[in-house]
Amino acid sequence: MNDLVVPADLVEEICLRLPLKSILKFKTVSKQWRSILVSRSFAKRRRRMIMNTVQNKPQILAAAGNHRTVRRLNDDEEEVEMFYLHCDAAATRPSLTCDGLVCIPLPGWINVLNPSTGELLSLPSGPDPVKTDRYDRLYSDDSWFDIFPGYWAMGFGRDEVNGSYKVVRMFFDTKQSEILDLNVGEWRILPSPPPYYVEARRKSACVNGSIYWLQYIPGLKILALDLHTEEFRDVPPPPAPAQPGQLVNLEDRLAIAIANAPPNYWELKIWTMDAEDETWSKTYTIYLFSRGLDPITWRLWCRPVAVSKKGNLFFHDSQNRLFKYYPQADTVRCISSDIRVISAFSENLFPLRHLDSAPGIRTFGFQQLMAGSWISRMSRRIELQIADILFTTAVAASVIFLATKS
């Protein structure tokens, strides 16, 4: 009997519906299967299918914690799915995220990790600007500020036109502003410098192909950089006081979260921006202190991370706590008091760079990361082992069907 070959289009159709873990396994079946599963067309179809799935739950990426923390989230996994990244740098260093990718700047290197595939790009960042006493004083409180190496104001995001991922950094004492395309692998100076200083101690956010930075002294300002045209522009801020806040991408909309402490309670206000006309609306007003959240510091920041299908909001704070807010009941519950939330997460099977581009970039595969690297692997809470059985059954059935047709 002649050997039967499963048609490529059938392999693609079946794999599209499998969990991520199974897709990674089947990359090793053959060169043909690997070429299918690493193609950009497969990644596009997979992302489109996931986005159109009604049952799709929002996902949160966190640095791996202890088992007690993981168990405490079990009751809430009907609404949100947790992913844990085994990475010391992600647990101790500030990072930037976009489309499920994690950018971790370290002294001398820019590291971009795809937790979905285990792919890592490590690119040299060159010398950092000279430190000054002024910055040493500004960045003395690590729990309150996000401090990147060299005190750069940094950004990370995707060019919506050509799909390239880019890293941006700015240092205002020396008026340096540079951009790094992962497909090129070399830093270059931005065509135009930023029009004004932005807050380097707070994370930026990438939404719809633009990176946004916050500045609140002397007044609240938001600066945006279009990653395709590489041009800066001003974005009108929300009608909120010029107080320290956090910019985030909340469900593909730019949001700013401002936590302050009036005399008797802690209050969190979250504003979201409409991308079409760049107008703001106050989405949430959450009274934290009166709902049982005892502040353990006189300064507190909060970042919204996900909204469940039930409309409940998940947010985390500077004290490594994760909360769940029920808008209908106007109540807040702390669901973990010891978790390092990174950001919202989404599966991403796109390669970090186009094939045969950027020679010299260090690229590490999933298996290499499991042993001896500072990033080991990403573990998933829910193991869908039955999918492997279903896949084998489907392939066997297709082979029998083809045999009967021939």
Side-chain angles (χ1 to χ4, degrees):
M1 181 177 177
N2 296 330
D3 293 336
L4 294 175
V5 178
V6 182
D9 56 349
L10 180 58
V11 173
E12 181 171 331
E13 290 299 325
I14 295 175
C15 288
L16 279 172
R17 291 156 179 80
L18 291 180
L20 174 62
K21 184 177 179 180
S22 299
I23 294 176
L24 297 179
K25 285 183 179 179
F26 289 121
K27 284 184 180 181
T28 63
V29 170
S30 67
K31 291 182 179 180
Q32 180 199 27
W33 286 32
R34 178 175 177 80
S35 65
I36 295 170
L37 300 180
V38 300
S39 66
R40 298 187 71 84
S41 61
F42 179 83
K44 288 180 181 179
R45 292 191 64 193
R46 173 77 175 184
R47 173 175 286 183
R48 192 181 306 118
M49 186 197 72
I50 292 176
M51 293 178 63
N52 294 334
T53 302
V54 177
Q55 294 83 7
N56 186 34
K57 294 185 292 187
Q59 300 169 330
I60 298 176
L61 181 65
N66 55 49
H67 295 294
R68 176 182 57 81
T69 299
V70 173
R71 285 199 300 268
R72 287 188 62 185
L73 298 182
N74 286 346
D75 294 339
D76 297 283
E77 286 185 354
E78 292 184 359
E79 294 185 57
V80 68
E81 190 171 8
M82 297 296 303
F83 287 78
Y84 296 93
L85 181 63
H86 290 256
C87 172
D88 291 340
T92 59
R93 297 273 187 167
S95 59
L96 299 165
T97 59
C98 176
D99 295 343
L101 305 183
V102 183
C103 175
I104 307 177
L106 296 175
W109 295 93
I110 298 293
N111 301 280
V112 181
L113 170 70
N114 185 341
S116 298
T117 63
E119 185 184 14
L120 168 71
L121 292 184
S122 187
L123 304 99
S125 60
D128 291 323
V130 178
K131 296 182 180 180
T132 65
D133 293 339
R134 178 170 68 90
Y135 280 92
D136 289 337
R137 290 192 298 271
L138 285 175
Y139 294 93
S140 59
D141 188 349
D142 291 353
S143 65
W144 173 247
F145 298 126
D146 289 303
I147 309 167
F148 293 105
Y151 306 137
W152 294 94
M154 303 203 66
F156 173 65
R158 180 168 64 93
D159 183 329
E160 292 283 303
V161 178
N162 60 32
S164 296
Y165 289 97
K166 300 179 180 181
V167 182
V168 179
R169 63 182 184 183
M170 300 177 290
F171 188 73
F172 297 95
D173 280 10
T174 57
K175 298 181 180 180
Q176 291 177 254
S177 54
E178 302 172 337
I179 191 167
L180 171 69
D181 188 326
L182 298 190
N183 287 321
V184 179
E186 295 181 357
W187 292 95
R188 57 182 172 82
I189 299 175
L190 283 168
S192 301
Y196 51 82
Y197 169 89
V198 298
E199 178 56 77
R201 299 171 295 177
R202 303 183 191 280
K203 291 185 179 183
S204 58
C206 182
V207 184
N208 298 325
S210 292
I211 298 177
Y212 298 84
W213 290 270
L214 181 68
Q215 172 65 329
Y216 61 91
I217 298 176
L220 187 62
K221 292 183 178 180
I222 299 176
L223 180 66
L225 174 68
D226 187 303
L227 287 175
H228 184 66
T229 64
E230 298 182 359
E231 295 180 350
F232 289 98
R233 72 181 189 278
D234 272 316
V235 175
Q243 296 175 332
Q246 299 289 326
L247 289 176
V248 297
N249 182 329
L250 183 62
E251 298 189 307
D252 292 326
R253 300 181 68 182
L254 182 66
I256 181 171
I258 300 176
N260 54 33
N264 299 318
Y265 55 86
W266 277 85
E267 179 183 75
L268 172 63
K269 293 183 179 180
I270 300 174
W271 302 74
T272 56
M273 187 182 78
D274 183 278
E276 293 295 328
D277 53 11
E278 295 188 338
T279 57
W280 294 83
S281 59
K282 189 190 299 183
T283 313
Y284 300 96
T285 299
I286 305 172
Y287 299 98
L288 300 175
F289 185 78
S290 61
R291 299 297 184 261
L293 171 60
D294 296 327
I296 60 177
T297 179
W298 67 276
R299 292 191 297 186
L300 184 75
W301 59 249
C302 298
R303 292 191 184 114
V305 65
V307 179
S308 73
K309 298 294 184 181
K310 295 182 179 180
N312 297 324
L313 174 72
F314 292 79
F315 65 95
H316 65 109
D317 70 358
S318 51
Q319 303 301 316
N320 293 332
R321 295 175 292 188
L322 179 62
F323 300 94
K324 184 177 178 181
Y325 173 61
Y326 304 81
Q328 291 186 345
D330 192 25
T331 59
V332 176
R333 182 166 66 92
C334 180
I335 60 177
S336 177
S337 59
D338 182 20
I339 186 170
R340 177 79 175 192
V341 172
I342 299 175
S343 70
F345 179 70
S346 60
E347 180 189 300
N348 188 337
L349 296 182
F350 286 91
L352 291 180
R353 60 186 178 93
H354 299 310
L355 298 179
D356 302 324
S357 67
I361 294 179
R362 300 194 298 173
T363 307
F364 300 91
F366 182 78
Q367 295 298 328
Q368 291 172 286
L369 293 175
M370 292 182 65
S373 175
W374 56 271
I375 297 178
S376 57
R377 60 185 168 88
M378 185 187 74
S379 65
R380 190 174 180 177
R381 288 279 305 132
I382 303 175
E383 297 290 342
L384 300 177
Q385 298 177 351
I386 192 172
D388 294 346
I389 300 174
L390 293 175
F391 177 84
T392 304
T393 304
V395 171
S398 65
V399 171
I400 293 173
F401 173 77
L402 290 172
T404 59
K405 295 285 287 183
S406 59

